[in-house]
Amino acid sequence: MVPTSYYVLLSAILFTIGVLGVLLRRNAIVIFMAVELMLNAANLALVAFARERLGVEAQVIVFFVITVAAAEVAVGLALLVAIFRTKRTADVDEVSTLKG
Amino acid sequence: MELILFLITALIAIVGAVAMLVSRNAVHSALFLLLNFAAIAVLFLLLQAPFLFTIQLTVYAGAIMVLFLFVVMLLGAEKVEDTPDRIAWQQPLALLLGLALLVVSVVVGLGGATNPPPESEALIQFSDPRTLGALLFTDYLLPFEVTGFILLIAVIGVVVLNQRGRKI
């Protein structure tokens, strides 16, 4: 039997790697992937706690999170394609038109 | 036995995540993220959630990663970070803040966690997809409908964003 704390520890590590990915990388697509990694880490912690308390509701919530993540990926990648068509780059440093 | 399986899968997940973070090529990043998603799917199975295992594999490892790879290859944006970072102090600060976040989340997360209950009737009900489905179509019917609406809006948004010959 694996203690819940091990899953929480793994989830924390994965979430931190995701945060570092957003902070360190400049390729917009890789930043987006890191966001997905964070969503997955949160899902993992949620399911681990659900397993401890035997709550099926958490599984429903994870199901919703995955569905919304799919919608978010579709819109986000469409935005990236639109940015790439006007700016010819996926580097977030180059997309600073709104900067004063 | 279960602990060994967990440790191996956790190691694969962390290696996949770190490799995604450090690889310079976006296609490699996507493939390492795929490895990470598959490892998390196996962890869902270890947590007695077989339905989420299936969803994770089909939606995340299947649909979402294919979309990522498709866009990376369509744009040809594999390598964009050849120039050095414009803000020099950003990287060390990010590492420091990341470490702080890790410490805080570990301390908070380990606070309330205990051992999961052993095999029982409730666990069998927990892992049964039928329970999940019944809950989804009774108590959570309205959120379920709303997610369907969100997906519809996402489809419309994608079509609008990628219209040709019109400035957004």
Side-chain angles (χ1 to χ4, degrees):
Chain A
M1 196 62 72
V2 186
T4 310
S5 49
Y6 288 15
Y7 285 102
V8 177
L9 196 64
L10 175 67
S11 168
I13 293 170
L14 289 179
F15 192 90
T16 309
I17 295 172
V19 169
L20 286 179
V22 171
L23 291 178
L24 293 176
R25 299 300 302 264
R26 277 172 300 137
N27 190 335
I29 298 173
V30 179
I31 290 177
F32 210 18
M33 288 181 202
V35 172
E36 294 304 310
L37 184 64
M38 284 194 274
L39 278 170
N40 257 285
N43 279 348
L44 185 64
L46 206 52
V47 178
F49 286 128
R51 168 74 178 80
E52 186 181 313
R53 295 177 177 271
L54 295 178
V56 190
E57 286 86 357
Q59 290 195 45
V60 178
I61 293 170
V62 171
F63 175 79
F64 287 145
V65 169
I66 292 176
T67 319
V68 173
E72 173 233 330
V73 166
V75 176
L77 286 176
L79 279 173
L80 279 182
V81 172
I83 290 170
F84 197 86
R85 245 199 272 139
T86 47
K87 294 266 180 187
R88 291 278 136 215
T89 178
D91 193 329
V92 286
D93 273 359
E94 305 294 327
V95 189
S96 56
T97 316
L98 282 178
K99 200 164 126 189
Chain B
M1 184 60 216
E2 203 185 317
L3 188 64
I4 299 168
L5 205 57
F6 169 79
L7 289 177
I8 295 170
T9 319
L11 195 68
I12 293 173
I14 291 175
V15 166
V18 171
M20 183 218 80
L21 181 61
V22 297
S23 62
R24 294 284 101 185
N25 192 323
V27 175
H28 297 168
S29 283
L31 291 174
F32 280 122
L33 191 63
L34 188 61
L35 180 71
N36 177 272
F37 283 170
I40 288 179
V42 174
L43 288 175
F44 282 161
L45 207 54
L46 276 176
L47 283 167
Q48 312 283 327
F51 181 70
L52 292 180
F53 163 78
T54 326
I55 291 288
Q56 175 85 4
L57 277 188
T58 50
V59 176
Y60 258 119
I64 291 183
M65 285 323 291
V66 165
L67 206 57
F68 266 114
L69 280 171
F70 177 74
V71 169
V72 172
M73 290 173 178
L74 176 79
L75 299 184
E78 291 100 54
K79 295 174 184 137
V80 296
E81 298 174 45
D82 298 329
T83 52
D85 214 319
R86 283 188 197 172
I87 314 167
W89 45 265
Q90 192 190 350
Q91 285 204 353
L93 185 68
L95 287 171
L96 197 71
L97 287 177
L99 197 69
L101 175 69
L102 183 65
V103 170
V104 170
S105 54
V106 164
V107 168
V108 172
L110 294 188
T114 50
N115 280 339
E119 294 279 334
S120 64
E121 189 66 33
L123 181 61
I124 295 169
Q125 210 178 13
F126 171 76
S127 62
D128 194 352
R130 267 179 296 186
T131 324
L132 185 60
L135 211 57
L136 206 56
F137 286 104
T138 53
D139 290 0
Y140 290 90
L141 186 60
L142 182 65
F144 185 72
E145 301 271 353
V146 170
T147 39
F149 206 68
I150 289 173
L151 286 174
L152 175 69
I153 293 169
V155 171
I156 296 172
V158 170
V159 172
V160 169
L161 279 173
N162 282 317
Q163 269 178 337
R164 288 236 171 250
R166 198 178 67 102
K167 278 281 175 198
I168 299 160

